Amino acid sequence: MSIVLNVGLDPRIVGDPDAPSTAFPTVDSVQVQAGLDAAAVELAELGLDFETCLLDRSDHAEEQFRAVVSQKHYDIIVFGGGVRLEPSMTPLFEKLINVARTYAPTSVLCFNTGPDSTVDAVRRWWPRGQRRCGHGHLSSHEERNLHACSAP
């Protein structure tokens, strides 16, 4: 079975008043956990295993991610908006991308925009070797640069 790895902030630190998010000021730990739970159910229905790598804001987050991606192959790695869109997380996000390029070079990398868009991110690239245009039409990976969507 194919495996999706979600990389994001640990819900326990989301909404922390000592480290407020400028990108997601109204998102709290309950919303993040609900998004993870819903993604796991929906991806299972698609025949995909779903694992998480939940990070904190410490200096050990990069090593934690490296340990996870060096243990097994992930078909898709989804980077969450909390590590990607939060300006204070940019240095960590850069490190995570470079770790993924080194330790998971054949994994598809994709990005969600919040706790409720993980499945949408996966669907843009699954089944592997295909992606969907903005209208949901499949195009082959090899032809994606030639794909011209005719949807209005």
Side-chain angles (χ1 to χ4, degrees):
M1 185 176 277
S2 297
I3 306 171
V4 173
L5 176 66
N6 185 83
V7 182
L9 290 178
D10 189 321
R12 294 174 295 186
I13 66 168
V14 174
D16 180 354
D18 294 330
S21 170
T22 58
F24 298 98
T26 61
V27 174
D28 63 18
S29 61
V30 173
Q31 290 170 290
V32 173
Q33 189 61 57
L36 292 170
D37 294 343
V41 169
E42 197 167 343
L43 291 171
E45 291 171 356
L46 294 173
L48 299 168
D49 279 345
F50 182 68
E51 297 182 11
T52 59
C53 178
L54 301 176
L55 305 172
D56 59 20
R57 293 183 172 96
S58 76
D59 294 335
H60 304 289
E62 176 188 2
E63 292 83 15
Q64 180 184 349
F65 176 63
R66 182 181 294 110
V68 169
V69 296
S70 64
Q71 290 177 14
K72 69 166 105 172
H73 172 72
Y74 294 95
D75 295 279
I76 296 178
I77 300 174
V78 180
F79 289 91
V83 295
R84 184 173 68 87
L85 299 173
E86 178 63 43
S88 66
M89 300 297 287
T90 299
L92 174 61
F93 177 61
E94 292 171 342
K95 291 174 186 176
L96 297 176
I97 291 297
N98 285 305
V99 167
R101 290 178 62 212
T102 301
Y103 292 90
T106 62
S107 298
V108 171
L109 306 181
C110 59
F111 310 96
N112 75 19
T113 56
D116 60 349
S117 65
T118 298
V119 175
D120 292 336
V122 171
R123 282 187 173 148
R124 287 193 298 266
W125 290 98
W126 194 257
R128 178 107 192 228
Q130 295 185 343
R131 71 177 227 170
R132 296 181 185 270
C133 70
H135 300 99
H137 302 119
L138 285 175
S139 63
S140 73
H141 179 71
E142 293 78 20
E143 297 175 5
R144 73 174 183 251
N145 293 326
L146 304 174
H147 175 68
C149 179
S150 60

